[in-house]
Structure formats: structure tokens, C-alpha cells
Amino acid sequence: ETEADSGTGTVGYLDENTTTDEIMESGPPETLKVDTTKVIAQKVSRLESALQLGLEDEAAEIVAELSMLKSPHDKYVNKMRAHLALLKKDYAQAGKYLGVVLSQDANDFEAGINMAIVEIFNNDNEKALQRLKKLKVIYPENDSIIEILKQLQ
């Protein structure tokens, strides 16, 4: 089970096409009938497709739906919010969402790399450099860290 797939409880009669309004109208969880794990997996699949096709508005809507199904504090949800913010070059928003992820898991590779990118775009190269050096110690086999470090130094 991946980070994106984890879901507990039930959600009634929902499928991958269920809108945010329908989720809100579906009532309390105890009255609902379908496993959320399946619904979440379907939405994650739709999200990946939307991102591949460059459909940022649709992707944002799916992330909002995932937030309601999982939690607004969910690590995957916040990584996707950050990804969408980075696509829009909204580095302040991306940093906010990545900060949530890193507060939950300070060693998260993807969030750490993306936060370093945000720091570089915010002209905070020293902070980015320190973050990347820390990630290099944790993930010595990762070549992408070396490449970014070379560009910074």
C-alpha cells in the first residue's frame, strides 16, 4: 500500500467521479458503504493522469477531494498541493505545504528536494545548501542531490 492509497473507514456510493459537493452531502461516515481505499486509489489515478496531461485545474480539484477523504494534514495531499503550487511558480504556497510535510517527516526526500528548490527560487541558497547536504548524508546514493549541489556551489 502506498502513501497515497492509505484510507480507512467507508465512503458511501462514491467512485472516482464523485465531486467535492457530493462528498460533503454524503453524510456521516457510519452511514456510508464503500471502502475509501478504493475511492482514494481511483482519485490518485485520476490525479496522476490530470498532471500528465497538464490539467492543473482538474488536478487541484482532485487534490481538494483527496484532502476531504484523507485529511487536510495528510502527507500525500500536501505534497500534491506543493507540486501544483510549484507548477504555478507560487513558491510561498509550495513552501507552506512542504513545511507541513517536513514537520511530519523531516527526512522526506521528495519534500526536502522540493523545499531546497523553493529556497533557491527565494534566493536563500545557503539554506538550500544546508538542506541538500543533510539529504546527501541521509540518501548518499541519490545522484540528483549531487547535481543540485554542484549547481549551487
Side-chain angles (χ1 to χ4, degrees):
E1 180 174 322
T2 67
E3 190 179 305
D5 296 334
S6 62
T8 58
T10 56
V11 176
Y13 311 115
L14 302 180
D15 63 22
E16 70 275 7
N17 297 312
T18 304
T19 66
T20 304
D21 290 338
E22 290 168 330
I23 293 169
M24 293 300 292
E25 294 169 2
S26 63
E30 61 274 6
T31 65
L32 306 172
K33 309 279 190 240
V34 176
D35 184 4
T36 57
T37 303
K38 180 179 177 185
V39 174
I40 289 169
Q42 291 168 333
K43 289 198 180 287
V44 167
S45 177
R46 280 185 51 225
L47 174 60
E48 290 170 355
S49 295
L51 288 171
Q52 286 176 350
L53 295 171
L55 304 173
E56 292 175 26
D57 291 340
E58 182 176 332
E61 184 177 318
I62 296 167
V63 170
E65 293 165 3
L66 283 168
S67 175
M68 295 177 72
L69 286 168
K70 293 170 76 61
S71 162
H73 308 289
D74 180 79
K75 190 172 159 180
Y76 177 79
V77 167
N78 281 294
K79 281 183 176 185
M80 290 299 98
R81 286 175 170 156
H83 181 78
L84 291 170
L86 284 170
L87 289 175
K88 293 179 179 179
K89 296 181 173 33
D90 186 345
Y91 302 113
Q93 273 302 102
K96 174 185 155 193
Y97 295 128
L98 292 167
V100 171
V101 174
L102 291 169
S103 73
Q104 296 168 350
D105 181 0
N107 297 327
D108 184 285
F109 176 77
E110 182 182 15
I113 287 285
N114 284 332
M115 184 63 95
I117 290 167
V118 166
E119 291 162 348
I120 291 166
F121 277 103
N122 288 331
N123 295 315
D124 198 349
N125 289 359
E126 186 57 37
K127 197 170 184 179
L129 185 62
Q130 294 309 313
R131 182 179 306 282
L132 291 167
K133 285 180 178 179
K134 178 184 170 194
L135 286 171
K136 184 63 184 149
V137 170
I138 299 168
Y139 303 99
E141 72 288 348
N142 194 292
D143 293 334
S144 61
I145 298 170
I146 295 169
E147 290 304 314
I148 298 170
L149 279 169
K150 282 180 186 175
Q151 292 176 9
L152 271 178
Q153 294 175 330

